[in-house]
Amino acid sequence: MPPPAAATITVRATLAMLDGPKREIAEGVANDEYVFWLGSGISRERMPDLRDVAKRVLVTLQARIDQSDPSCRFKQALEGVVTLANPSPDEWGRIAFDQPADGWPDYEALAARLVGNYARMLDVPVDGEEADYLLWDVLDAANVYANPTIEPDAEHLCLAALAIEGVASELPTANWDNLIERAVERLAGAQPVLRVVVAPNEIRWNRLRANLYKFHGCARAAQIDAAQFRGLMVARQNQINGWSARNPVMAPFLTGLITRRPTLMLGLSAQDSNIQNLFAEAQAAMAWPWPSHPPAYAFSENALGIDQRGLLQNVYHLHYGPANRSAMESEALVQAYAKPLLLALLLFVVTAKLKRLVEIGSPGLAPADRDKLHDGLEHARNLVADGLNPNAAEVGDLIVQCGRAMSMLRGGRLPDAASGIYAPVTTEPLHRMPADPSLADSGVCQFAAAAALIGLGIDRGHWTATPADTTDPASGALVLTGRSGPAKVYFAATAQAAIRLGTNGLVADNDDVVIIHSHETPPAMQRYPRRAPGRVGLASVREASMEELLSAGTEVEDLLGRFRSKVAL
C-alpha cells in the first residue's frame, strides 16, 4: 500500500496549499490566532508509539510471570491485557503464557488491536501494586519519555521557531516528553520564551511569548519530583474519564482557549473522551459559527477519522448536517502531516513578516511595485522550499542559516548558545507589527526590501543564490553568483553592526563581499583586518545603502537596476 499523501507531500506543495485553498489558516497562524493542540504524532519518530507501548506491556508482563505459580498476579494482569485485544478462539489457543510474548504467532496483531484500547490496557491492575504500575514501572514512562539522549525532531524545531516568532503562543499538549522544551532551549538559549504549565498552580505564572500546557502530565517533571507530578501523568481510562472533575483549574482554562481561539490539531487523534468533552463544553458555552474566518477547526491529517468527525459534530452541532458536512470536513482537513506542514508554516510566516516590513518601511510604494517586491520574497522562499526535506537535519540547518543572517544583520556577530541560534524576524505576530515603534528605524524594513530585490534578481536570472557555509564564520549570510563570479553577501542594519562585521573577523578588506546596509553607508575607514588575497581585478568589498537606493525612487524596475549596479554582480 502506498504511503498516505499527507506523509509524502513536499514542502513546496504544502506551501502551494497554504498560498491557495488553506491560505486563511496560514494567515491565521501568522496572526497568532490558532491554538496548537499537539499529540503523540509530532513525536512519532522519537518516542514509542502506542503499538510500541502495547508490545512493551505484553513482553514485560510475560517476563515477570512466576511459572511455578498458577495464580501468578502478572499472569492474571497479562490475561486481562490480552482480553482487551479481543482474540479469536484460535488466537487464544496459540497464546503460550510460558513463552516470551514477542514469539507468539499473533503478537503483532494483538499489539495492533490494543492501540485503540491503550487507556483500558494501562488501567489493568496488578495485584498488590499502585494503580499506575503499568505506566510507572512496566513502561518506565518517566525515564523513557524524558530520555536526555533523544534529540528534538523537525516538528519540535519548527514549533520552537514559530514560538520565538510570536505566532504559536498557546500550545496545549497531551504528550509527556520534553522535546518542545528542549527545542526552544536550543533555539532561544536562556531567553525567557517558553512557559511550561503542568500543575494547576502554574497557571498563575507570568505568561511568556509561548505557553505550553501539558495537561496529561510531564515525564521530566515526574522524574524530578515524583511526589508532586507522578499522579499528574494521565494514561489510564479511569483518569481520562474523570479528568475534568479532577482538574477544576486546567479543564475550564483549556475550554476557554477553545471558546476564544481557533483550533489547529497536529498529531492528535482526539480519541480521548476528556479531549472530546472539552470541545463539547466549549460549544455549549459559546459555539463557533460555520463558516468562520479563519476556519475554527483544522486538522493536520491524511483524512479525518471518526474521532475528528465526532469532534466537528460536537462543536458545530446544528450546522453539522447533510447540507454542510462535506464542506465542513473539507475545510477542516489540511492534508499534510506535521513535518511538512510546520516547516511550510514557518516559511510562510517568515515571508509574510518580510512582506509586511516592506510595506512598513516604504509606505509610499505603489501597489504594483509592492506586489513585485512581494513576488521577489515569495520566489526566494519557494527556492528554499524546493531544496528542503522536512527532517531534523535539514530543518536544523535552515534554522542555523536564518539565525546567522539575522544575528549578523542586527549585531555584526554570529549567534551563540546563550542567546540562542535562532533570531526571529520580529517577536510580534503579523497584525501587531505596524504598532511596533522600533521597526521603522531598526533596519529590518530595509533588509526586507533588499531580500525582495535579491529574490527578483534570482527570478530574472541576474544571479543565483547558495547558502552560506555555516562551518566557516566568514562565509556571509548567503552567496550570490553573477557574471563576475561569486560574492559573499552580508546585511548590516546599523553602522555599528557593519563595523562589527569587521572587528569580529567576519569580513576583511580584500574579501569578495557585498555589504548591504539598511541605512547610510559608513564613511570609508580601515575597519576590516586583511586576509590573503582573493580574486584580483574587482573591488573586493562593495557596499550598497538601501536607504539611499529607496530615497532615489521606489519604482521597482529602476530600483532593481540601481541595486544591481551597486552590488556589481
Side-chain angles (χ1 to χ4, degrees):
M1 179 182 296
T8 59
I9 189 170
T10 64
V11 179
R12 180 71 181 85
T14 307
L15 269 172
M17 181 169 58
L18 297 181
D19 285 336
K22 302 301 177 183
R23 188 174 187 88
E24 274 198 282
I25 293 173
E27 290 179 342
V29 169
N31 286 309
D32 191 30
E33 294 184 71
Y34 277 94
V35 176
F36 286 63
W37 288 77
L38 309 172
S40 60
I42 69 165
S43 299
R44 188 182 311 278
E45 295 179 29
R46 291 292 189 264
M47 294 294 168
D49 63 16
L50 291 178
R51 187 178 295 207
D52 295 328
V53 167
K55 288 179 177 180
R56 183 161 181 157
V57 169
L58 292 171
V59 168
T60 306
L61 284 177
Q62 190 284 326
R64 294 182 181 183
I65 293 174
D66 178 358
Q67 299 297 339
S68 66
D69 180 3
S71 58
C72 175
R73 59 189 180 136
F74 295 109
K75 182 179 180 183
Q76 292 175 353
L78 183 56
E79 288 175 341
V81 168
V82 171
T83 298
L84 291 171
N86 194 28
S88 68
D90 287 343
E91 287 174 328
W92 271 117
R94 291 191 290 268
I95 293 172
F97 288 102
D98 60 346
Q99 299 296 318
D102 55 4
W104 297 350
D106 304 297
Y107 171 67
E108 293 288 346
L110 295 172
R113 270 181 251 150
L114 285 169
V115 168
N117 255 337
Y118 84 94
R120 292 181 178 85
M121 172 186 72
L122 294 176
D123 228 353
V124 170
V126 176
D127 190 37
E129 303 292 347
E130 297 288 344
D132 66 352
Y133 177 78
L134 293 187
L135 175 72
W136 190 258
D137 191 280
V138 170
L139 293 180
D140 192 21
N143 292 318
V144 168
Y145 287 88
N147 185 342
T149 67
I150 297 176
E151 292 297 320
D153 206 347
E155 297 95 326
H156 312 104
L157 295 172
C158 288
L159 283 166
L162 289 166
I164 294 167
E165 291 284 352
V167 299
S169 63
E170 305 289 5
L171 301 156
T173 181
N175 295 352
W176 301 319
D177 66 68
N178 63 336
L179 293 176
I180 291 175
E181 297 96 303
R182 291 180 57 205
V184 172
E185 183 179 359
R186 175 172 158 188
L187 270 59
Q191 297 180 68
V193 170
L194 181 69
R195 175 181 69 143
V196 181
V197 175
V198 183
N201 64 295
E202 294 168 353
I203 286 284
R204 292 174 172 163
W205 292 358
N206 284 341
R207 287 179 51 78
L208 293 176
R209 204 180 312 165
N211 302 273
L212 183 67
Y213 309 101
K214 305 185 82 167
F215 61 91
H216 276 186
C218 174
R220 179 63 179 150
Q223 189 184 54
I224 294 170
D225 185 355
Q228 181 179 3
F229 293 102
R230 173 177 173 175
L232 297 179
M233 290 186 68
V234 175
R236 294 175 287 117
Q237 192 65 48
N238 172 269
Q239 291 175 297
I240 291 170
N241 290 343
W243 186 86
S244 293
R246 296 190 188 106
N247 287 272
V249 174
M250 186 70 81
F253 178 83
L254 295 179
T255 300
L257 285 183
I258 300 165
T259 303
R260 295 191 302 273
R261 301 178 67 170
T263 289
L264 173 59
M265 284 196 177
L266 295 144
L268 184 65
S269 67
Q271 72 180 47
D272 290 339
S273 61
N274 64 329
I275 296 174
Q276 292 278 344
N277 290 340
L278 286 174
F279 282 85
E281 289 168 11
Q283 186 278 335
M286 186 169 69
W288 283 90
W290 187 84
S292 294
H293 303 284
Y297 297 94
F299 304 92
S300 169
E301 292 289 348
N302 189 60
L304 297 187
I306 187 169
D307 295 304
Q308 289 142 347
R309 286 194 173 94
L311 188 148
L312 288 177
Q313 187 169 4
N314 280 337
V315 297
Y316 283 135
H317 197 42
L318 298 177
H319 294 282
Y320 190 88
N324 297 327
R325 185 185 306 128
S326 178
M328 283 181 178
E329 293 179 359
S330 176
E331 175 189 77
L333 177 63
V334 183
Q335 200 173 32
Y337 286 145
K339 270 186 168 61
L341 178 58
L342 286 168
L343 181 50
L345 281 171
L346 178 59
L347 293 171
F348 183 96
V349 166
V350 167
T351 307
K353 286 189 171 189
L354 291 173
K355 290 179 182 179
R356 185 60 52 87
L357 288 171
V358 167
E359 297 165 8
I360 293 170
S362 302
L365 273 174
D369 293 310
R370 177 203 61 206
D371 291 345
K372 285 181 181 180
L373 291 176
H374 286 186
D375 289 345
L377 289 167
E378 284 196 11
H379 183 74
R381 179 203 70 179
N382 293 343
L383 281 180
V384 171
D386 285 337
L388 272 179
N389 292 305
N391 57 56
E394 295 192 32
V395 170
D397 185 60
L398 174 68
I399 284 168
V400 169
Q401 294 277 357
C402 292
R404 276 174 54 96
M406 298 307 293
S407 185
M408 288 189 291
L409 168 75
R410 291 188 172 112
R413 60 179 176 268
L414 297 177
D416 59 73
S419 58
I421 63 171
Y422 182 80
V425 176
T426 72
T427 60
E428 296 284 2
L430 202 62
H431 70 290
R432 292 209 297 263
M433 286 171 57
D436 184 346
S438 68
L439 286 181
D441 297 320
S442 67
V444 294
C445 296
Q446 294 82 358
F447 161 73
L453 291 173
I454 289 172
L456 271 181
I458 296 170
D459 191 27
R460 306 282 175 83
H462 299 320
W463 45 65
T464 59
T466 51
D469 177 3
T470 56
T471 65
D472 177 6
S475 58
L478 75 160
V479 176
L480 289 182
T481 302
R483 286 179 298 176
S484 60
K488 294 177 286 188
V489 177
Y490 294 82
F491 301 93
T494 64
Q496 184 182 52
I499 292 168
R500 284 179 175 171
L501 288 173
T503 59
N504 288 327
L506 304 179
V507 176
D509 277 336
N510 57 336
D511 277 351
D512 293 322
V513 305
V514 174
I515 302 177
I516 301 173
H517 301 274
S518 292
H519 300 300
E520 65 278 0
T521 304
M525 64 181 71
Q526 290 297 320
R527 59 190 182 278
Y528 308 131
R530 297 182 65 80
R531 278 193 271 270
R535 288 182 290 149
V536 296
L538 182 70
S540 56
V541 177
R542 285 96 77 198
E543 302 182 81
S545 162
M546 287 303 301
E547 185 174 90
E548 176 185 318
L549 289 169
L550 289 165
S551 67
T554 55
E555 195 281 318
V556 166
E557 298 303 329
D558 177 60
L559 179 61
L560 179 60
R562 287 183 281 116
F563 181 81
R564 290 180 64 198
S565 176
K566 284 288 186 180
V567 300
L569 289 172

